[in-house]
């Protein structure tokens, strides 16, 4: 393997150059030293056209004037790259003016104009404001906006993207998610096209909604075995409830059930009373009964069904008879009867229930009663008991226990005790609207037997075969090349799978209820071996079921268990011969006779012949000629098709209904007529019914041959069912498209095309991204595109304050010499040279990206100070694995639980902590198979993993395997439970627990590529023998100036303490320069450091400004950024100078508060007008408490986690941050806002002195000095630092000397490398860029 593989540039992300405020000068004045390897801007990267001049052509024509042309180009650029401030009145109409400017162009030029306006708006605004808006355009836009508001709730300025009617989340969608959707849609479109569906018919058939297999089908519970223990209409305990069915229409609060004396909801338990599972079911039934829930409760006991069984020999029978006694003779107390069963289980104490347990419990509860007569032979309390097992077998529900609400069975997950009550209530809520409609429409009144009405509905069946309803069926691909052959052709075995399928469709003959040719929505292929009894029974049931429906046709596919031969498979040959030579009725009746077991055995034994079962009117001459031939190739072809296409072994049985394969059936598995009825109803309900109705309205539906039309319905239904969508396809209707809609027709109108509808405001961040994506899709694919303009009127400020590029190319690009270019990248040309900009990368949610090469300050870009332009390279470091974890049985997140992620060879590569918010956790992953486990220690000691979802291993596997094989987001769900004996233990309850030290990975993983990882060195201060603890300092910095301040702050901390120090920095915002320097500084001064990284969770309200993101990281993730062994952390602002030992602050008693902040000084009186917390909201909210500054604070992480302070802060942030005017200073407004819920210890004032707020007299005692911005003087930071802090210059010079030393050493090393390279063969060293 190549140790230095060539890396690949990626696509699918955005790059933003945001205009930065210059109210306070915050730019580093250090000269940038370009290394010898600094790349110059390539000629091909320069803007080719400026103000109409194409400079590449001019240079070709006048190569001797190249230098003059460059000067002319630069002059033109300088004249066009000035940002002109606009007045408020000029902004009022600018969104409509942008829309008009776009609509004035046509086709792809209009899309390019939309992209250029949105991505370069600060420069283009001055020309856009001169545009006149056509009144027709304005009126149509406003009319459409009213329609969009009503149909979709989309207001002016909002966005909507739909592909073939499927709505796309514009915030999180990226090309990788789009690619999966387009592949799936493309396959469906191509399949429809191959079936002859074109033009508008494509759109009609695309919108077929495939319904779920599960949920709606119900079992008919009108059976004599169901024992109802209550009757809402007759029992006295419900007399105080209203009795009119009209109560269903009375409004109630959301989530409330309606209490009335009507048996509307029937909750039926089907169980074996002796099994451990039944104990919990009895408790749940008792709970619903005693709490008077508005449900009728029924029980079906599945026990020994023999008539003369003795209860003294069978515990199940004894329990049923004892229950019947308690329910009937002892006052009819259902609660007591259920209590009897529960106590019998308690008496058994987890052991198998015996008759002695039943007798012992019964005698304690019913003293004096003759238990022998009650449970013995000839008992009078045997009602309904003999019928339970038969009813259970008839329903085909599979396993016990089963619970049904109005006949609809619950899933195993819904039967879990934690979910049961919620499942029942939610099922009632889901069924209520249907009952209400029936009442409103008069279909149900006070005289209606509601159970009868419910059970007469079409989707209620006497039998629900799990084989039919499982929903995991494979689907035969019917759309394909129609290279059909005769089935007896020798070429059949050479065909592809689609060719075999096409041949089968073309040649198979069908049995139907009636002779006439008509459209039949359901096609069933019965795959069987007619030489076996199970095979004959399967076909016999299918043929018999034809009597009840003319919507079905049945074909036979022979799959013999042995090599086909004439004698053994005479019945298969007879069935084929009669279908080929006779009418459908004759064929059906003749095959039915042959399938009768007595007739079959008579023929096999020689007592009769096949011809003896002739149906009156058959043409036996034709039949005998084909039947007596020696050709067995048809059966051979069928067997080959069964194996290759259907995946069946010889002899296996299956049913193929409209392409869905139900099978293979087990050797003893029954599939009876009721199952075929269920198959028919299922196929019609899921999609075939809708397909049939829509086909009738299409051009292809005008086929005269009804059998061909039935074939088309079968193919279309299989195709649609193979591409199900959980969401409905939608379309914009009642909108006008004459003046305000950009429409691009597909490049190839006769070919299938995607239909994309976009609703965009040109002056939004969404449009910056999606205008480019739509342009690329329209260039790359056959697309019909409609873009509805949705501008937001009356802007009061610049709607877009950034330049933007989205990296997503339609195809590979090449140079003139046919060599490929370096790859996709974001290029910004003609940017304003005097404007201060900051660069942000906007990547997919699952990407963890860092800057790896740039000597310039990407947080403070000013092009006027740069000669050759700025280049920055970023690298995709990791993929993000996200998850949610919950504890059983409570369902609450296990706060403090730790997970590890690794491989089989290295099980612990990274680790993380679970939040209480949504049980969220995240881990850094790499491509490949990863192993997710509980971290060894208290997490693994207390908890076990009980189940998981979204992973790549079985749900009950202890080792959770997650395969990272895509750039798309990967989200897993994990459920854990406490080990026996650990129920009372908590992860955060023992502060002195031994936790594995950080540094082995995780979100606190230090940069392994930066010399020495955590920065440990020979000069490192070691903890003293007296137990001296490490001083943990946390800080955040972005931009070269604040990184310069940060280095000085670190030095001031180190100079004033004797304790070992460990610094923690948020890696997300650090420059490559700082990350390159910090290991050397750690080596020089003997401290540790960690670069922590945490991706802002997708569910937490996102910030778009970098400064506000930094503020968020200061306060929102304190509980998960640091490992559990860090007990206290001190945050120190980067622009702070420390003059005291911070160990004092670490040792300070916080009096039970989770953190301590310094209050704002109030001694500099001239600043009173700026103290906003002294009046209005803050004065009222604080109620006499101090308002605290966030420049310095200490956090007791043990207390912080124990009281869930992080979760509370995030919850409050989520609520407040929706309002853009809230949390103006996020990092300090949030903790001050939460002061009543999360208390703050006010630190002594001496811990933070700031000239802006504190008097000069207090400076002498200051332990730290913060370089606060001064709203009066707006003095630059660097000037203030030198003036205010006497030692600042000394610290700065000391750091600079170290930097100079390293710079010289590096240059010397590079010169040596150059000399070595010149003496050795050259190697490619292309660094990966995003």
């Amino acid at each position: 393997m190549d140790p230095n593989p060539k890396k690949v540039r990626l696509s699918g992300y955005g790059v933003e150059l945001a205009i930065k405020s210059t109210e306070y000068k915050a730019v580093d004045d250090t000269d940038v030293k370009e290394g010898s390897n600094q790349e110059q801007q390539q000629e091909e990267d320069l803007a080719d056209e400026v103000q109409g001049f194409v400079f590449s052509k001019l240079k070709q024509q006048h190569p001797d004037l190249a230098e003059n042309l460059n000067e002319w180009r630069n002059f033109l650029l300088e004249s066009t790259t000035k940002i002109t401030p606009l007045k408020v009145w000029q902004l009022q109409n600018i969104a409509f003016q942008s829309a008009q400017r776009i609509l004035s162009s046509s086709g792809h030029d209009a899309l390019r104009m939309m992209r250029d306006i949105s991505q370069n708006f600060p420069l283009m605004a001055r020309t856009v404001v001169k545009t006149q808006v056509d009144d027709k355009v304005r009126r149509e836009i406003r009319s459409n906006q009213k329609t969009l508001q009503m149909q979709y709730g989309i207001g002016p300025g909002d966005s909507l993207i739909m592909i073939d009617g499927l709505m796309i989340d514009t915030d999180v969608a990226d090309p990788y998610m789009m690619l999966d959707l387009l592949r799936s849609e493309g396959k469906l479109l191509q399949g429809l096209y191959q079936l002859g569906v074109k033009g508008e018919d494509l759109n009609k058939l695309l919108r077929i909604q495939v319904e779920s297999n599960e949920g709606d089908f119900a079992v008919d519970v009108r059976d004599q075995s169901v024992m109802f223990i209550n009757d809402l209409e007759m029992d006295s305990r419900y007399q105080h409830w209203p009795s009119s069915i009209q109560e269903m229409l009375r409004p109630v609060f959301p989530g409330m059930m309606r209490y009335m004396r009507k048996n509307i909801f029937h909750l039926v338990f089907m169980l074996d009373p002796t099994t451990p599972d039944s104990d919990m079911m009895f408790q749940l039934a008792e709970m619903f009964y005693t709490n008077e829930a508005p449900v009728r409760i029924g029980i079906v006991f599945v026990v020994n069904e023999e008539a003369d069984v003795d209860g003294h020999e069978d515990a199940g029978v004894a329990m049923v008879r004892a229950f019947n006694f308690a329910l009937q003779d002892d006052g009819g107390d259902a609660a007591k009867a259920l209590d009897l069963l529960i106590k019998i289980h308690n008496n058994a104490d987890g052991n198998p229930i015996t008759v002695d347990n039943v007798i012992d419990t019964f005698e304690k509860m019913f003293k004096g009663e003759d238990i022998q007569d009650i449970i013995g032979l000839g008992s009078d309390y045997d009602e309904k008991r003999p019928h339970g097992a038969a009813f259970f077998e008839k329903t085909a529900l599979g396993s016990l226990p089963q619970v049904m609400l109005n006949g609809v069975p619950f899933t195993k997950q819904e039967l879990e005790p934690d979910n049961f009550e919620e499942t029942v209530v939610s099922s009632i809520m889901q069924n209520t609207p249907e009952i209400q409609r029936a009442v409103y429409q008069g279909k149900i009144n006070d005289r209606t037997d509601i159970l009868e009405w419910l059970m007469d509905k079409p989707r209620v069946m006497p039998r629900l075969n799990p084989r039919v309803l499982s929903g995991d069926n494979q689907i035969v691909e019917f759309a394909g090349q129609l290279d059909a052959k005769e089935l007896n052709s020798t070429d059949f075995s050479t065909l592809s799978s689609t060719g075999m399928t096409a041949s089968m469709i073309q040649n198979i003959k069908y049995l139907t209820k009636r002779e006439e040719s008509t459209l039949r929505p359901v096609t069933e292929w019965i795959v069987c071996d007619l030489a076996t009894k199970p095979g004959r029974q399967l076909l016999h049931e299918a043929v018999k079921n034809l009597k009840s429906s003319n919507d079905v046709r049945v074909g036979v596919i022979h799959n013999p268990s042995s090599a086909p031969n004439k004698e053994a498979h005479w019945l298969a040959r007879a069935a084929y011969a009669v279908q080929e030579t006779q009418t459908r009725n004759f064929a059906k009746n003749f095959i039915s006779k042959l399938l009768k077991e007595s007739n079959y055995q008579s023929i096999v034994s020689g007592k009769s012949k096949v011809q003896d079962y002739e149906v009156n009117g058959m043409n036996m001459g034709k039949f005998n000629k084909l039947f007596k031939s020696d050709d067995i190739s048809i059966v051979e072809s069928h067997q080959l098709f069964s194996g290759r296409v259907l995946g069946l072994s010889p002899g296996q049985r299956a049913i193929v209904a409209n392409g869905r394969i139900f099978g293979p059936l087990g050797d003893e598995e029954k599939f009876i007529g009721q199952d075929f009825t269920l198959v028919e109803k299922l196929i019609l309900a899921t999609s075939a019914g809708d397909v049939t109705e829509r086909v009738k309205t299409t051009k292809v539906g005008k086929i005269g041959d009804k059998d061909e039309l039935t074939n088309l319905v079968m193919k279309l239904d299989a195709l649609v069912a193979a591409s199900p969508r959980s969401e409905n396809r939608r379309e914009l209707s009642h909108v006008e498209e004459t003046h305000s809609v950009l429409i691009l027709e597909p490049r190839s109108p006769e070919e299938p095309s995607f239909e994309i509808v976009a609703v965009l405001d040109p002056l939004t961040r969404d449009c910056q991204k999606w205008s480019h994506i739509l342009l690329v899709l329209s260039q790359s694919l056959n697309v019909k595109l409609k873009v509805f303009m949705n501008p937001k009127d009356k802007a009061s400020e610049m709607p877009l304050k950034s330049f933007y590029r989205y990296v997503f190319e339609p195809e590979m690009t090449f140079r003139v010499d046919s060599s490929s270019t370096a790859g996709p990248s974001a290029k910004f040309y003609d940017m304003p040279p005097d404007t201060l900009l900051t660069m942000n990368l906007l990547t997919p949610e699952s990407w963890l990206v860092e800057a790896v090469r740039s000597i310039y300050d990407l947080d403070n870009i000013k092009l006027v100070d740069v000669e050759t332009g700025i280049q920055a390279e970023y690298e995709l470091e990791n993929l993000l694995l996200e998850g949610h974890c919950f504890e059983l049985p409570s369902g609450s997140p296990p706060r403090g639980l730790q997970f590890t992620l690794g491989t089989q060879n290295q099980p612990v590569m990274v680790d993380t902590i679970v939040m209480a918010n949504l049980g969220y956790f995240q881990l850094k992953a790499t491509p490949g198979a990863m192993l997710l486990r509980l971290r060894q220690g208290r997490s693994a000691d207390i908890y076990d993993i009980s189940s998981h979802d979204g992973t790549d291993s079985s749900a009950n596997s202890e080792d959770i395997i997650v395969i990272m094989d895509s750039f798309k987001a990967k989200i897993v769900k994990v459920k854990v439970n406490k080990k026996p004996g650990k129920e009372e233990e908590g992860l955060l309850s023992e502060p002195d627990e031994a936790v594995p030290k950080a540094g082995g990975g995780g979100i606190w993983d230090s940069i392994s590529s930066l010399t020495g990882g955590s920065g440990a060195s020979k000069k490192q201060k070691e903890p003293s023998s007296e137990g001296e603890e490490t001083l943990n300092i946390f800080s955040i910095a972005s931009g070269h100036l604040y990184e310069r301040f940060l280095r000085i702050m670190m030095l001031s901390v180190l100079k004033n303490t004797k304790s070992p120090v460990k610094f923690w920095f948020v890696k997300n915002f650090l420059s490559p320069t700082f990350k390159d320097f910090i290991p050397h500084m750690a080596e020089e001064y003997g401290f540790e450091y960690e670069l922590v990284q945490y991706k802002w969770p997708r569910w937490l309200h996102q910030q778009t400004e970098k400064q506000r993101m930094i503020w968020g990281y200061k306060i929102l993730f304190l509980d998960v950024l640091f490992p559990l062994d860090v007990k206290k952390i001190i945050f120190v602002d980067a622009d702070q100078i420390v003059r005291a030992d911070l160990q004092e602050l670490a040792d300070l008693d916080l009096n039970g508060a989770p953190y301590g902040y310094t209050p704002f000084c109030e001694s500099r009186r001239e600043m009173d007008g700026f103290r906003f917390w002294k009046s209005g909201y803050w004065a009222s909210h604080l109620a006499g408490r101090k308002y605290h500054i966030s420049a310095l604070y200490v956090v007791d992480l043990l207390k912080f986690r124990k009281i869930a302070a992080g979760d509370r802060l995030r919850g409050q942030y989520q609520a407040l941050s929706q309002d853009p005017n809230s949390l103006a200073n996020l990092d300090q407004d949030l903790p001050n806002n939460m002061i009543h819920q999360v208390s703050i210890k006010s630190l002594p004032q001496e811990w933070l002195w700031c000239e802006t707020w504190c008097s000069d007299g207090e400076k002498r005692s200051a332990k730290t000095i913060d370089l606060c911005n001064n709203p009066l003087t707006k003095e630059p930071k660097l000037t203030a630092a030198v003036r205010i802090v006497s030692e600042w210059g000394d610290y700065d010079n000391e750091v600079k000397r170290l930097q100079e030393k390293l710079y010289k050493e590096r240059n010397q090393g590079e010169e040596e490398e150059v000399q070595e390279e010149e003496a050795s063969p050259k190697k490619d060293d292309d660094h990966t860029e995003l």
Side-chain angles (χ1 to χ4, degrees), residues 997 1020-1024 1027-1033 1059-1064 1087-1088 1125-1130 1143 1146-1147:
K997 290 283 183 182
Q1020 181 176 315
K1021 298 176 184 176
E1022 297 292 342
S1024 71
E1028 184 179 7
E1029 291 190 3
T1030 297
L1031 185 59
N1032 290 285
I1033 309 297
S1059 300
V1061 178
K1062 183 167 187 175
F1063 291 102
W1064 302 78
F1087 62 82
E1088 291 183 275
D1125 69 311
V1126 178
K1127 298 178 181 179
K1128 274 192 177 180
I1129 195 91
I1130 298 173
Q1143 189 64 52
D1147 295 337

Side-chain angles (χ1 to χ4, degrees), residues 391-408:
F391 179 52
F392 171 62
E393 184 178 358
K394 184 178 77 172
T395 63
L397 288 175
S399 61
L400 291 172
Q402 294 285 338
V403 180
M404 298 162 281
L405 184 77
N406 287 353
V408 178

Side-chain angles (χ1 to χ4, degrees), residues 652-708:
Q652 285 189 320
R653 301 174 299 151
I655 298 91
V656 182
N658 283 18
R660 302 161 179 82
I661 302 175
F662 300 97
L665 303 182
D667 293 341
E668 304 298 324
E669 186 175 349
K670 292 183 179 179
F671 205 92
I672 63 176
Q674 292 170 343
D675 298 324
F676 281 104
T677 302
L678 180 60
V679 168
E680 177 190 348
K681 289 191 175 185
L682 174 70
I683 300 298
L684 286 171
T686 50
S687 56
D690 197 6
V691 169
T692 303
E693 293 305 314
R694 288 179 187 257
V695 163
K696 292 177 182 177
T697 66
T698 63
K699 293 178 183 178
V700 293
K702 308 305 180 188
I703 299 173
D705 187 335
K706 298 301 182 184
D707 288 335
E708 282 300 311

Side-chain angles (χ1 to χ4, degrees), residues 1015-1079:
S1017 74
K1018 59 188 177 183
K1019 296 184 182 181
Q1020 181 176 315
K1021 298 176 184 176
E1022 297 292 342
S1024 71
S1025 58
E1026 295 164 358
E1028 184 179 7
E1029 291 190 3
T1030 297
L1031 185 59
N1032 290 285
I1033 309 297
F1034 170 47
S1035 194
I1036 302 177
S1038 179
H1040 286 192
L1041 176 65
Y1042 276 88
E1043 289 175 351
R1044 180 178 175 184
F1045 283 133
L1046 180 59
R1047 289 188 288 266
I1048 292 168
M1049 181 274 286
M1050 295 164 61
L1051 203 53
S1052 72
V1053 170
L1054 296 168
K1055 297 285 188 182
N1056 287 284
T1057 186
K1058 294 181 179 179
S1059 300
V1061 178
K1062 183 167 187 175
F1063 291 102
W1064 302 78
F1065 307 117
V1066 176
K1067 180 182 175 185
N1068 307 40
F1069 304 103
L1070 295 176
S1071 71
T1073 306
F1074 183 88
K1075 288 182 287 189
D1076 186 51
F1077 177 72
I1078 189 68

Side-chain angles (χ1 to χ4, degrees), residues 170-194:
T170 56
D171 291 330
V172 301
D174 57 61
Y176 304 102
M177 297 170 62
M178 300 271 289
L179 183 60
D180 283 351
L181 174 62
L182 291 168
R183 279 175 177 163
S184 174
E185 288 296 290
K187 183 178 180 181
L188 181 56
L189 285 169
Q190 190 63 31
L192 290 170
Y193 184 77
Q194 289 176 348

